[in-house]
Amino acid sequence: MPSNSSSNAARALDILLALGEADAYGLPLGEIAIRVGEAKPAVHRSLASLLQKGFAEPTGRHGHYRLGPAITMLARRQARLEPVIARHRPGMTEFARRTGYTVYMMVQAGVDAVCAEMVSRSPQQQLWLGLGGRVPMGVAAGSVALLSMLPSADYKQLIEANAERYITHPSVQHVDAAVVLAQVRDAQRRGYAINMGYYHPGEGGIGLPILSTSSYEMNVAISFTLALEMMTNTFVTSIVSELKDCLFAN
């Protein structure tokens, strides 16, 4: 039987994962308890510890919580990630300046994709995913781009591991393992991933895969969202070319 301390640690990790899937408004205590499958008093105790250490924080909405700044600070200490962020942040910034889009850098973290960097021209803009935000690998263009760089056996294993999560993840179109697999193969054919409005009404996304330059670094995907009505073949080809120009100009 697991010790009480290990049980508390597992609960805290589950809470962090639940908060990682929340938007900027966060989640109320009751919803967090439902997602982690624990009683509210136990969740509240673990949440209090996370708040004290800065791993969670209250939002502007009463009784709601989201990931705290300590998550980002820990991520910044990831030595394999720091040089990649430094290399691509200027290009992400230039692309955001030219287009007005919010740009995300996504990396793999187990069966999930995590936002490691974000550049936006509008700090007040309501963002669908902030720094440290987490989605199942295969959800949205950035994580599909990450899957597209993996060997076939590896991406199929990840898709199978997340199959049930695809069905329960909020979406406006039906998404299952077969849909994600088709998106990955399409991304491999195109050289970039496309999300044609699966998760938010009227909103699509593009994810550009970038292979690591050495075994010491990590694969990343640079992604952004845009109005679905703009996503014609001509425009998508043009905007991906512009993103590459910004990222690899020097």
Side-chain angles (χ1 to χ4, degrees), residues 95 99 101 192 206 224 226-242:
F95 183 74
T99 65
Y101 297 134
Y192 53 87
I206 295 173
F224 58 96
L226 66 167
L228 192 59
E229 63 188 20
M230 298 179 65
M231 294 183 66
T232 63
N233 287 334
T234 301
F235 181 79
V236 167
T237 301
S238 173
I239 202 70
V240 169
S241 177
E242 185 161 11

Side-chain angles (χ1 to χ4, degrees), residues 1-246:
M1 180 177 294
S3 68
N4 186 57
S5 60
S6 63
S7 176
N8 290 340
R11 183 188 306 119
L13 288 172
D14 286 341
I15 291 171
L16 290 175
L17 292 175
L19 294 179
E21 295 182 348
D23 60 19
Y25 292 114
L27 294 173
L29 176 63
E31 176 64 20
I32 298 171
I34 291 172
R35 294 195 183 197
V36 303
E38 298 263 8
K40 286 205 296 187
V43 170
H44 187 266
R45 289 194 298 271
S46 294
L47 189 57
S49 296
L50 293 172
L51 288 165
Q52 186 178 36
K53 299 297 184 181
F55 289 101
E57 64 179 11
T59 71
R61 182 175 289 181
H62 179 70
H64 283 60
Y65 305 91
R66 63 188 172 204
L67 291 177
I71 293 290
T72 304
M73 289 187 286
L74 279 179
R76 292 294 191 208
R77 297 178 63 87
Q78 224 292 3
R80 293 179 63 207
L81 191 54
E82 287 177 354
V84 185
I85 292 176
R87 185 183 310 131
H88 294 302
R89 186 189 293 114
M92 294 170 64
T93 301
E94 175 61 15
F95 183 74
R97 185 193 69 79
R98 292 185 190 181
T99 65
Y101 297 134
T102 297
V103 191
Y104 306 90
M105 177 183 288
M106 304 297 294
V107 298
Q108 181 182 356
V111 297
D112 290 345
V114 176
C115 179
E117 180 66 314
M118 180 182 71
V119 177
S120 175
R121 289 185 60 192
S122 304
Q124 303 303 318
Q125 180 182 353
Q126 178 62 49
L127 304 172
W128 77 275
L129 183 71
L131 278 173
R134 177 182 295 255
V135 294
M137 284 283 281
V139 168
S143 70
V144 171
L146 291 172
L147 285 172
S148 74
M149 291 183 279
L150 299 177
S152 175
D154 290 352
Y155 71 67
K156 288 180 179 177
Q157 184 177 36
L158 282 167
I159 291 173
E160 182 179 356
N162 281 325
E164 292 186 10
R165 299 175 72 196
Y166 299 145
I167 296 172
T168 59
H169 191 85
S171 65
V172 295
Q173 298 184 45
H174 175 73
V175 178
D176 58 19
V179 170
V180 173
L181 180 60
Q183 286 183 299
V184 172
R185 290 174 173 166
D186 181 65
Q188 291 175 326
R189 178 180 61 83
R190 293 175 182 268
Y192 53 87
I194 290 183
N195 161 31
M196 294 300 291
Y198 283 105
Y199 301 101
H200 297 278
E203 184 178 273
I206 295 173
L208 180 68
I210 302 179
L211 277 166
S212 64
T213 57
S214 73
S215 58
Y216 179 73
E217 293 184 355
M218 303 177 69
N219 292 341
V220 302
I222 308 299
S223 65
F224 58 96
T225 59
L226 66 167
L228 192 59
E229 63 188 20
M230 298 179 65
M231 294 183 66
T232 63
N233 287 334
T234 301
F235 181 79
V236 167
T237 301
S238 173
I239 202 70
V240 169
S241 177
E242 185 161 11
L243 175 60
K244 290 179 179 179
D245 181 62
C246 291

